[in-house]
Amino acid sequence: MARYIMEEMPDLQKTGKRITYPRFARIDNASLKELAQRVSDVSGFNVGDIEGVLLQTAIEMAHLMAEGRSVKIDGIGTFTPSLTLGRDKEREDPEEGGKHRNAQSIFIGGVNFRVDRTMISNISERCRLERAPWKRQRSSKKFTPEQRLALAIKYLDENPFLTVWEYRKLTGLLQTAATNELRKWGHQPDSGIGIAGRGAHRVYIKKEIAEQDQNSMRNDLKNYEK
């Protein structure tokens, strides 16, 4: 039996409306060994053989996608590689005589996945839901956005980088709200916070801004602490 909770969406547009949506509660990862054991239980194939086939499948998928091809697995979905420019590389100028990017400045940025409708159907048929007994969590309103930014800047004064997890502990925000707010700070030129790394390895670092702006942020935090 799977459990769900109703999560409150962050009010990024400042409308004052509270919107909730359902999501699975406490999702964990099934390991390769567990998956192989389940396949073995219903097929009779050896667990070790199944693990080996799955691992080799992943390697062969990588080879195919390295050739610029998508990989479709019936009943699961389609995997498509995507490209990105290297860090600190300027975008190509489409105008005649403009700067062009060569292959050395382009890298694999990720893999997009489009699920097969059969997989969605199979999940829906087997899924039995009950509401989780615990109450939904809400992001803390202890700090204003400006004070949260000041907390992040203060943290980066003393540490080389800031993760979403650490930002959650600093501010009391939930995962989605903390991720969205840090991403906003990271793309705001005068926030004092920059982005390093990609995907699961993304962290936030200190970015130099005008000294008076940094002092203003620290004063915001001091005023709150008083």
Side-chain angles (χ1 to χ4, degrees):
M1 181 73 72
R3 289 178 167 179
Y4 72 92
I5 59 173
M6 299 303 295
E7 189 75 63
E8 188 171 325
M9 296 180 66
D11 187 10
L12 299 178
Q13 303 301 321
K14 308 300 182 185
T15 63
K17 295 180 180 179
R18 294 169 58 185
I19 301 174
T20 59
Y21 65 96
R23 71 172 179 84
F24 281 108
R26 295 184 178 174
I27 290 183
D28 61 354
N29 291 325
S31 67
L32 176 65
K33 187 174 290 294
E34 181 183 351
L35 177 60
Q37 184 63 62
R38 287 194 172 217
V39 174
S40 176
D41 290 344
V42 297
S43 68
F45 292 112
N46 179 275
V47 173
D49 291 341
I50 295 169
E51 285 189 41
V53 168
L54 290 173
L55 289 170
Q56 192 59 41
T57 298
I59 292 171
E60 295 308 320
M61 287 175 65
H63 288 164
L64 289 166
M65 286 187 278
E67 297 171 1
R69 304 172 68 184
S70 292
V71 178
K72 181 180 180 182
I73 302 177
D74 292 340
I76 296 181
T78 303
F79 299 81
T80 304
S82 63
L83 298 174
T84 187
L85 284 175
R87 194 185 307 167
D88 301 327
K89 297 293 182 182
E90 296 180 7
R91 295 192 176 277
E92 183 167 300
D93 186 348
E95 300 297 328
E96 186 176 349
K99 184 180 293 185
H100 288 187
R101 297 263 65 92
N102 57 31
Q104 282 69 39
S105 60
I106 300 173
F107 302 89
I108 297 294
V111 175
N112 299 318
F113 174 67
R114 186 174 70 252
V115 67
D116 192 308
R117 288 185 179 274
T118 304
M119 174 64 81
I120 297 176
S121 232
N122 286 338
I123 296 171
S124 296
E125 289 173 6
R126 293 162 174 77
C127 186
R128 299 292 180 269
L129 288 168
E130 67 175 9
R131 189 161 189 152
W134 54 85
K135 294 181 180 180
R136 68 174 180 267
Q137 292 181 306
R138 294 180 183 173
S139 287
S140 169
K141 295 182 179 179
K142 182 177 180 181
F143 303 106
T144 66
E146 292 75 20
Q147 288 168 340
R148 291 195 294 267
L149 178 57
L151 284 170
I153 292 294
K154 182 179 179 182
Y155 182 90
L156 288 171
D157 283 341
E158 302 166 358
N159 299 273
F161 61 84
L162 172 65
T163 64
V164 173
W165 175 250
E166 288 296 337
Y167 191 62
R168 287 181 62 187
K169 290 198 294 182
L170 283 173
T171 63
L173 294 181
L174 295 181
Q175 179 74 23
T176 301
T179 300
N180 290 339
E181 188 162 87
L182 265 183
R183 187 183 296 120
K184 182 183 78 171
W185 297 142
H187 288 98
Q188 187 173 308
D190 60 351
S191 71
I193 294 179
I195 299 174
R198 298 187 181 90
H201 303 290
R202 171 173 289 187
V203 295
Y204 296 84
I205 58 175
K206 187 175 180 180
K207 183 170 60 177
E208 294 302 324
I209 59 173
E211 185 66 29
Q212 61 184 25
D213 291 340
Q214 289 201 27
N215 289 336
S216 174
M217 290 177 198
R218 293 191 181 94
N219 287 336
D220 284 342
L221 185 58
K222 287 178 181 177
N223 290 336
Y224 174 80
E225 291 172 342
K226 289 178 181 178

